[in-house]
Amino acid sequence: NEFTDRVVSITHGLDQEYLGSFDLEELDKRVRTVLEWHKGDHKRYLSPSFSMIQSSGMGKTKLMKQYCQTHNNNDSSDIECRMILCMDRMQGDPPDFVKHYHAKLTMQNGRFIESDANDIKTLLDKIERSCKRDKVIFFF
């Protein structure tokens, strides 16, 4: 295999307890703001989405996982979340992949190619149909 592990695995540290609540509360505010915006006349043009940008190792994945657990384990929440790992076809699954992610999307040479579009849409549609709540959030 021509790929080497130059950094810790994407699953490293995800079993550790999440500390604090401020970032989680702020993420929830942002998600709900985007969902509220999408209720307007924007629905036919765009999907409700936003980016989380931060340096490597700062806790984006851990925050997304905690957000998923918080909503998925709360019966009164109207949000259901799914963590989806995007990775190259040539890479092996990271340790404990199925413990932390609901699905994976694979890329060819580090990018999605047009011929993959239907497979990706089919997978995301299948995941969405398996969800029971009104609002489904995908974290990639």
Side-chain angles (χ1 to χ4, degrees):
N1 187 342
E2 63 186 79
F3 292 94
T4 60
D5 293 327
R6 296 184 295 171
V7 296
V8 295
S9 168
I10 189 77
T11 58
H12 179 76
L14 291 180
D15 284 326
Q16 296 172 355
E17 184 179 344
Y18 182 83
L19 302 174
S21 61
F22 179 78
D23 292 334
L24 190 60
E25 291 165 4
E26 289 300 307
L27 177 59
D28 193 53
K29 287 179 193 174
R30 299 304 181 265
V31 167
R32 292 189 182 281
T33 298
V34 170
L35 292 173
E36 191 62 33
W37 169 85
H38 192 247
K39 282 184 183 178
D41 194 30
H42 310 288
K43 197 169 196 163
R44 61 183 170 188
Y45 300 111
L46 301 168
S47 65
S49 60
F50 65 93
S51 301
M52 277 187 10
I53 302 170
Q54 199 173 17
S55 300
S56 299
M58 299 302 290
K60 297 178 299 294
T61 304
K62 193 168 189 76
L63 178 61
M64 290 184 286
K65 181 179 179 195
Q66 185 64 38
Y67 188 85
C68 289
Q69 287 177 338
T70 299
H71 284 280
N72 293 349
N73 295 334
N74 179 353
D75 292 336
S76 65
S77 176
D78 59 341
I79 291 176
E80 194 165 343
C81 303
R82 294 293 179 258
M83 298 266 298
I84 301 170
L85 179 62
C86 300
M87 58 187 291
D88 197 277
R89 281 189 175 91
M90 301 302 290
Q91 292 177 299
D93 289 346
D96 295 327
F97 159 75
V98 295
K99 183 178 177 182
H100 301 291
Y101 292 89
H102 299 96
K104 72 176 173 179
L105 295 176
T106 55
M107 302 175 280
Q108 185 167 321
N109 299 321
R111 61 192 164 136
F112 290 110
I113 55 176
E114 190 173 336
S115 61
D116 291 336
N118 283 334
D119 291 340
I120 292 168
K121 183 178 181 334
T122 299
L123 175 63
L124 295 178
D125 286 345
K126 180 180 177 185
I127 294 169
E128 182 183 16
R129 283 192 308 275
S130 72
C131 295
K132 311 251 185 295
R133 300 189 182 151
D134 292 336
K135 300 172 182 140
V136 177
I137 307 292
F138 291 134
F139 285 117
F140 298 96

